Amino acid sequence: MPDTTRPADRLPGSRYGNRPTMKDVAARAGVGLKTVSRVVNGEPGVTPDTERRVQEAIDALGFRRNDSARVLRKGRTASIGLVLEDLADPFYGPLSRAVEEVARAHGALLINGSSAEDPDREQELALALCARRVDGLVVIPAGDDHRYLEPEIRAGVATVFVDRPAGRIDADVVLSDNFGGARDGVAHLIAHGHRRIGFIGDMPRIHTAAERLRGYRAAMEEAGIPVEDAWMSLGQTNPERVRRAAREMLGGPDPVTAIFTGNNRVTVTVIRVLAEQSRRVALVGFDDLELADLLEPGLTVVAQDAAALGRTAAERLFRRLDGGLVTPERIELPTRLITRGSGELPPAD
């Protein structure tokens, strides 16, 4: 089969996978490298006819400016890294999107990955992003020792933690009021007549889980209600573990009449367990859920603003990159109790 490619369309010595360079554009347009650079970067000093020839060469060759090399010359890579706990968790969708929007407004690219709640994987991912010379990191920590980031921070990598604080280093952190939100949610159940209230949460080593348990205990103590060990269950959020914990609390001669769930994954499983029950059990969940208002009854939740967490963390990161911050701060955002019906059910007995 004859080769119909025109000689002018071929790059000298090119092979599949090679990208055209400014030198290739200059050769095709019959101009110097400086002229191509001016056109590519929108600089003055090029006649309309020359600019047209260069643009035609760019279009014909499929040339794209190497932004990595360009920003490296300026001392910035125009990219930031986001280390999430779990990309599949719907809570992190709006948080990630908010970070991305702030990064985009600052002309930066967002690169993210998931630690899968594994401290070793978190460290590996964070350091891999640093090795690719990101300007800053937004980290949702899985571990409790972040001294491995100290050399990177000293080297100029701005770092902000979100949702959970850093461990063993002094760094910016943006949190929700996990303690206050949980206390409000449990107090709401108490106000509707409940005394036997169960709590099902995440791993106790996780900051958010520990704070929400503390809020549960505080609400019960303030109401003068002794807490039984059988009413509390913390551990992995897989459905098997949560289902077993919920059934144990709902069984026996003195079952709980209400449950407070520590996060959205726990809540989903508990909703399924409650659907099996012959009696109605009150439920308040920490974190809102999509379609929560369409359940019967609607799901009462303690809602945190994931987008505000991400936006606040990202804005702080760029302020730090711009040299506008010195002392690390702890920023705590309020939660909101949304009543829809499930948390307002009275005790069945």
Side-chain angles (χ1 to χ4, degrees):
M1 188 172 182
D3 185 354
T4 57
T5 305
R6 291 180 296 147
D9 290 333
R10 293 179 178 169
L11 302 182
S14 69
R15 64 181 184 277
Y16 180 79
N18 277 4
R19 293 183 177 181
T21 65
M22 283 205 296
K23 184 177 179 181
D24 299 319
V25 173
R28 182 180 180 97
V31 299
L33 278 174
K34 185 77 172 178
T35 301
V36 175
S37 177
R38 283 175 176 160
V39 173
V40 167
N41 294 308
E43 297 172 358
V46 182
T47 66
D49 181 62
T50 301
E51 183 176 358
R52 177 185 56 77
R53 294 201 334 263
V54 171
Q55 193 58 56
E56 286 175 352
I58 288 171
D59 294 341
L61 296 173
F63 169 81
R64 291 184 65 83
R65 183 177 67 185
N66 185 347
D67 279 343
S68 295
R70 181 169 176 261
V71 295
L72 279 171
R73 286 195 296 271
K74 295 184 175 183
R76 290 268 190 96
T77 62
S79 62
I80 64 170
L82 172 60
V83 180
L84 294 165
E85 183 260 329
D86 184 358
L87 288 169
D89 188 330
F91 172 76
Y92 294 117
L95 188 153
S96 176
R97 178 64 180 271
V99 174
E100 184 177 22
E101 288 300 318
V102 174
R104 185 168 178 264
H106 285 81
L109 176 70
L110 177 67
I111 307 169
N112 62 30
S114 171
S115 70
E117 203 62 75
D118 181 342
D120 292 335
R121 185 165 168 176
E122 173 214 298
Q123 178 173 340
E124 178 185 346
L125 177 57
L127 292 179
L129 289 167
C130 290
R132 283 158 179 77
R133 297 191 65 180
V134 295
D135 297 321
L137 288 173
V138 175
V139 181
I140 298 171
D144 55 9
D145 187 349
H146 294 92
R147 289 176 295 176
Y148 71 87
L149 279 173
E150 286 182 330
E152 308 299 333
I153 294 172
R154 284 196 298 269
V157 179
T159 305
V160 176
F161 289 80
V162 64
D163 192 42
R164 308 166 187 173
R168 307 186 73 175
I169 65 170
D170 194 17
D172 289 308
V173 60
V174 181
L175 307 167
S176 291
D177 182 8
N178 294 284
F179 168 78
R183 182 180 58 188
D184 291 347
V186 176
H188 184 73
L189 290 168
I190 294 170
H192 283 80
H194 295 277
R195 294 297 179 268
R196 298 197 303 276
I197 302 171
F199 174 82
I200 305 177
D202 208 331
M203 302 288 287
R205 65 174 175 79
I206 298 173
H207 171 81
T208 50
E211 284 295 284
R212 292 167 195 176
L213 174 62
R214 193 167 70 87
Y216 162 82
R217 283 183 171 278
M220 298 291 274
E221 182 179 348
E222 288 166 8
I225 303 172
V227 176
E228 297 184 16
D229 290 343
W231 297 351
M232 297 177 292
S233 177
L234 280 82
Q236 294 181 341
T237 58
N238 62 76
E240 295 75 19
R241 201 281 299 181
V242 174
R243 189 177 296 113
R244 182 170 62 252
R247 286 173 176 167
E248 288 174 357
M249 290 181 187
L250 295 167
D254 293 310
V256 297
T257 63
I259 295 177
F260 182 79
T261 50
N263 65 35
N264 53 11
R265 286 166 292 183
V266 174
T267 303
V268 168
T269 301
V270 170
I271 288 171
R272 292 193 170 108
V273 172
L274 294 183
E276 305 166 356
Q277 301 294 307
S278 58
R279 64 188 175 93
R280 282 199 157 186
V281 176
L283 173 65
V284 174
F286 205 109
D287 293 333
D288 205 358
L289 297 176
E290 189 175 5
L291 305 181
D293 57 324
L294 299 182
L295 296 171
E296 182 52 46
L299 179 64
T300 294
V301 299
V302 175
Q304 52 180 332
D305 193 337
L309 284 170
R311 183 170 56 254
T312 304
E315 288 172 348
R316 188 155 189 89
L317 184 79
F318 281 100
R319 283 182 63 196
R320 188 160 289 283
L321 283 169
D322 292 338
L325 299 173
V326 178
T327 305
E329 289 185 21
R330 178 188 179 106
I331 300 171
E332 196 166 83
L333 304 183
T335 58
R336 182 165 60 103
L337 181 69
I338 303 175
T339 57
R340 298 192 180 108
S342 70
E344 294 70 63
L345 294 174
D349 53 355

